[in-house]
Amino acid sequence: MAATFLAFGAACREAGMPLEWMLACCLFVYGMPGQMVLLGVPGLPGVLGATVANARFLPLAIALAPYLGSRGWIAAPFIAVTPWAVAMRVVPGLHPGLGLPWFLGCGMISWGLGAATALVGFAVAASLPTAARPALLFANTLYFALLIGADLVRPAARPAVIGGMLAAPIAMMLPPALGLLLAGLVGGTAAWFWQRR
Amino acid sequence: MNPDWTPLLLAAGLGLGLRLAGVFLARHLRPDHPAVRWAAAVAGATIAAFVMIALIAPPGAAASVPPVARVAGLVSGLVAQWRFGLLAGLVAGLAVLTLVAAYGVNP
């Protein structure tokens, strides 16, 4: 995740965006696909694209909320893919009262780390070696691929992973943000039915 | 460049709205409630689809990374993770990806 934010900071610098815009985007949007859409697409289409790209916040929040208790809304700004993926492996095993403080700690560290590394990326954009570019571009993908690889051995998570992988071609036939949302809906719903049979 | 802040603020507000809606919808549900399980399955499937697309047909600048480098990075990362854990998998995968992208055969 840090490498992705590093790359976002560098991309903002290269696009000529000011530091405060880059930082506000990291802290308040805090969802990399949406951030990239906002950077590349101006105006209302950018807002719609970013919202669709980050629509996964809704199912992420629904899945996490039962572990956060009645004051879970405090943690809402920190719900994003990386802390969610880590939290869903830990919070189900915690004492019910510890879910919220645990997620707040994890989420705020992840949130702060993202903004800090984006600042570094913005500062060193011009001096990043060319050889480091592929690693920066694929760090986030590889991180999630490894998490998914680990999920394949967990029976509770396996159907959703396989469903999403099989539904990925749907996303390739549609505009990226909308396609990903639809692939998740189709693959996830199919996995849910599979588990209920 | 003097950016227009309105799109950023609108997108940030809508994103927070989605997160809050999810929390308020599900805060009184049990973790094994069918709606919560469905949302978890959709979230997991979305991430899996995102990874598949990013590996097979990455958008934007990532498309310039050779497919052989992506596959080599993924395979070495998975092997290292299986043997030594997540962080080792990430480091090994990125190292191999970088090396193959720099020196590997580009079909």
Side-chain angles (χ1 to χ4, degrees):
Chain A
M1 189 203 84
T4 315
F5 275 79
L6 190 79
F8 179 74
C12 285
R13 182 69 175 266
E14 285 174 11
M17 301 305 270
L19 176 66
E20 57 271 23
W21 187 93
M22 183 278 293
L23 207 52
C25 200
C26 290
L27 292 174
F28 301 131
V29 178
Y30 190 43
M32 191 49 70
Q35 289 174 225
M36 293 304 290
V37 171
L38 279 175
L39 179 63
V41 184
L44 189 61
V47 176
L48 294 175
T51 304
V52 172
N54 283 342
R56 66 185 183 284
F57 290 153
L58 183 65
L60 293 178
I62 290 174
L64 187 61
Y67 301 106
L68 301 180
S70 58
R71 292 195 303 148
W73 58 270
I74 300 169
F78 311 111
I79 295 174
V81 170
T82 301
W84 180 86
V86 179
M88 292 306 283
R89 293 160 168 266
V90 177
V91 291
L94 295 178
H95 183 277
L98 294 178
L100 180 61
W102 190 95
F103 184 75
L104 277 175
C106 173
M108 289 174 84
I109 288 170
S110 172
W111 188 68
L113 195 65
T117 48
L119 272 174
V120 173
F122 193 89
V124 303
S127 56
L128 280 175
T130 314
R133 197 163 167 266
L136 281 178
L137 291 169
F138 269 94
N140 204 29
T141 302
L142 184 62
Y143 175 67
F144 286 120
L146 295 178
L147 286 181
I148 284 171
D151 275 349
L152 280 172
V153 298
R154 294 169 53 215
R158 191 186 303 142
V161 171
I162 294 171
M165 290 165 80
L166 293 177
I170 295 172
M172 294 179 195
M173 291 184 278
L174 295 168
L178 184 64
L180 185 60
L181 185 65
L182 202 60
L185 274 172
V186 171
T189 304
W192 181 73
F193 276 117
W194 174 265
Q195 284 179 311
R196 282 173 65 89
R197 80 198 148 81
Chain B
M1 184 186 285
N2 189 17
D4 180 4
W5 283 80
T6 312
L8 189 153
L9 295 175
L10 279 173
L14 288 166
L16 182 61
L18 285 170
R19 291 168 166 124
L20 284 170
V23 170
F24 281 112
L25 278 170
R27 63 180 171 161
H28 295 307
L29 299 180
R30 290 169 50 85
D32 60 352
H33 190 280
V36 175
R37 285 184 176 261
W38 173 80
V42 169
T46 305
I47 296 169
F50 165 77
V51 168
M52 279 294 282
I53 295 160
L55 286 170
I56 295 169
S64 64
V65 179
V68 67
R70 293 179 227 148
V71 173
L74 175 65
V75 171
S76 51
L78 286 169
V79 170
Q81 174 180 243
W82 172 66
R83 191 74 181 84
F84 302 109
L86 177 63
L87 187 60
L90 190 61
V91 171
L94 290 178
V96 170
L97 183 140
T98 304
L99 286 172
V100 175
Y103 303 109
V105 178
N106 193 0

